[in-house]
Amino acid sequence: MNRFLSYLTALIIVMFVTSCGISYNIEGTSDISGLDSRMMYLKTRVNSEFKSIDSTEVLHGKFGLSGSTDSVRIAFLVMNESNAPLPLVLEKGDIRVSLNKSNSEWGGTPLNDKLYRFVKSLDSLTVQLDDLEHQYTLAFMDGEDMNEVIPRLSRANQHLNLCIDTLITQSISANFDNILGPGIFMIVTQGEQYPQMSPWVVEIMSKATDFFKNDPYVKEYLEAAHYIQNVQNGLEANPGTTPQAAPAAEENTPTPKAPTPNELAAPSDTSATK
């Protein structure tokens, strides 16, 4: 009898913990005047669609969101048309978000801290990559020998793109067994015109764990990428499902563009965050 009661007690505890899921708490501040008195939506991917699971109003530069989810997951904080959705990890703990005109910061929990460091590293590389075009223009206007300038900038371009690919593949690989791996994959591929079996995607999948491969977004992306590849090669295949773009704002608010890696890494007046 005592054994039965002990088993029943343990079962009740497990059921209680399971029903509670993961509790998250988001505390944010903003000095962006366009956000004050505006609604902000927290969206996550449910059954291949982005759905709003919470919302709040920005009042006097402050906002907050709290709730629970069945598991740790990637979500997007959807603001207005001037700000791309801000990616967050819904996990246990207090998540701090600071939206400023010159910069956006977030963290306070392990996976959000990792995501933020990844974004800032990507930001540094993309800024250097964008600067190459500026260097080209200046060299041309200054009358420099373009036969020397173009090869130099081309080498720099190749090096930076290699660094970006390495950053992405290493960051995903290091998080194959938690939601950050599929999350970074989703954030990075959102900026693509269509799903494709790029060399870095092939490399990732060659060593991916079952947790990563079985993520719903990853599976849909690969199905669509293989289908497109087969069509391009003149082969027949069952059509795949194209993963849905990043979440849009609510019907009564402007719809932001799907965030590209550059947008996700840029200051808050042009983006939020590969």
Side-chain angles (χ1 to χ4, degrees), residues 128-174:
Q128 294 177 59
L129 193 61
D130 292 342
D131 186 58
L132 294 181
E133 184 176 350
H134 179 62
Q135 292 183 41
Y136 176 89
T137 302
L138 287 179
F140 181 79
M141 295 179 64
D142 290 342
E144 295 185 32
D145 186 351
M146 301 308 290
N147 290 325
E148 295 181 359
V149 172
I150 292 176
R152 173 171 57 83
L153 294 182
S154 178
R155 289 192 298 270
N157 180 75
Q158 292 177 359
H159 172 71
L160 288 171
N161 275 294
L162 177 61
C163 289
I164 289 175
D165 282 351
T166 301
L167 172 65
I168 292 172
T169 54
Q170 289 184 349
S171 297
I172 292 176
S173 300

Side-chain angles (χ1 to χ4, degrees), residues 103 119-120 122-124 126-127 260-267 271-273:
N103 190 28
V119 168
K120 290 306 168 183
L122 180 62
D123 179 30
S124 176
T126 52
V127 167
T260 65
N262 286 359
E263 287 177 329
L264 292 168
S271 110
T273 165

Side-chain angles (χ1 to χ4, degrees), residues 204-218:
I204 283 291
M205 296 312 301
S206 69
K207 54 187 178 182
T209 62
D210 289 340
F211 179 89
F212 183 85
K213 291 178 180 178
N214 291 326
D215 178 82
Y217 177 86
V218 174

Side-chain angles (χ1 to χ4, degrees), residues 11 33 43 46 61 86-87 109 139 149 155 158 182 185 187 198 230:
L11 181 61
S33 58
K43 295 195 173 189
V46 180
L86 180 74
T109 57
V149 172
R155 289 192 298 270
Q158 292 177 359
F185 184 86
I187 291 168
S198 305
N230 287 334

Side-chain angles (χ1 to χ4, degrees), residues 83-96:
N83 301 83
L86 180 74
L88 296 172
V89 181
L90 297 185
E91 61 179 330
K92 182 179 180 180
D94 295 328
I95 304 167
R96 300 186 304 273

